[in-house]
Amino acid sequence: MESKGEHVSTEEVEPWLKYSRFGGSSSVPALLAAETASCLCVGEKVLALGTHRGSVHLMDLDGNEVRRLEVHKSRVTALCVDARNEFVGSSSDDGSVAVTGLCSEEQFTYQYGDPVKTLALDPEYAVKKSRSFVSGGVAGNLILNSKGWLGNRDHVLHSGEGGLHAVRWRGSLIAWANDAGVKVQLPPAP
């Protein structure tokens, strides 16, 4: 029932978000029938899908699996891709962080004692010699891992405010969320 002054439009409204499901020849339906997804990261050239079994599936933008990484023993908690789309980073409840080359066979795995819930690669990971990333989790430490003359080194950037929930590295800033709130800082000089 229309009241005086109201106008009911019969025009179709353009959807704000257009999407299509992966199907047909894509690997996604078969993958999700066998495993449960735990996280997803979208890069300019790659989709990375983490699972509860600890696998990382690398797919093209049509959803076709290009490579499968078995780098973790339990649930993948976070995924990220560097700015050049040359490396993918993953973290897991098993306390590990893995960084894998997308265009090379390079793969580095780091072990931490507690579950790692979030990580971010240096946006210039592929071109900098320091090969830095930040990670954190239930232990409440925000850790910067960098390569130096004597191998890789961990440096605690922040601690003491509860578990870390998210971290992002954009340009020259690192931002993270923990139980106390959100913080932003510059990475330390190498």
Side-chain angles (χ1 to χ4, degrees):
M1 174 188 262
E2 239 182 270
S3 63
K4 213 175 208 179
E6 284 185 28
H7 175 70
V8 177
S9 174
T10 57
E11 292 180 33
E12 277 193 38
V13 177
E14 178 91 16
W16 288 1
L17 175 66
K18 291 184 180 182
Y19 71 94
S20 62
R21 292 183 188 268
F22 287 120
S25 65
S26 94
S27 307
V28 176
L31 189 150
L32 293 178
E35 296 188 66
T36 305
S38 59
C39 56
L40 175 72
C41 177
V42 180
E44 288 183 27
K45 301 175 186 173
V46 67
L47 294 171
L49 178 76
T51 70
H52 283 271
R53 290 185 183 169
S55 301
V56 176
H57 300 270
L58 303 175
M59 297 175 274
D60 63 20
L61 296 179
D62 293 323
N64 301 307
E65 189 171 40
V66 176
R67 195 166 159 198
R68 181 183 192 148
L69 308 173
E70 300 290 342
V71 290
H72 302 291
K73 295 178 182 133
S74 64
R75 181 172 71 104
V76 178
T77 55
L79 294 163
C80 61
V81 179
D82 73 323
R84 294 176 179 263
N85 282 267
E86 292 183 28
F87 287 88
V88 63
S90 58
S91 63
S92 173
D93 277 340
D94 67 8
S96 66
V97 169
V99 181
T100 305
L102 296 173
C103 306
S104 69
E105 294 301 316
E106 289 181 87
Q107 187 170 63
F108 308 98
T109 304
Y110 308 90
Q111 294 295 325
Y112 297 94
D114 296 302
V116 181
K117 298 295 186 181
T118 185
L119 88 148
L121 296 177
D122 178 342
E124 298 300 318
Y125 186 93
V127 294
K128 286 187 178 175
K129 290 181 181 178
S130 63
R131 297 281 173 104
S132 299
F133 66 86
V134 288
S135 64
V138 297
N141 298 324
L142 178 66
I143 298 171
L144 172 68
N145 180 293
S146 294
K147 184 177 174 183
W149 287 6
L150 302 173
N152 283 69
R153 179 176 157 250
D154 288 334
H155 176 75
V156 176
L157 297 179
H158 187 81
S159 66
E161 293 185 336
L164 269 78
H165 307 292
V167 65
R168 297 295 179 268
W169 191 334
R170 201 62 90 219
S172 63
L173 296 175
I174 297 172
W176 70 95
N178 60 20
D179 291 346
V182 176
K183 309 252 189 294
V184 179
Q185 82 172 48
L186 292 167

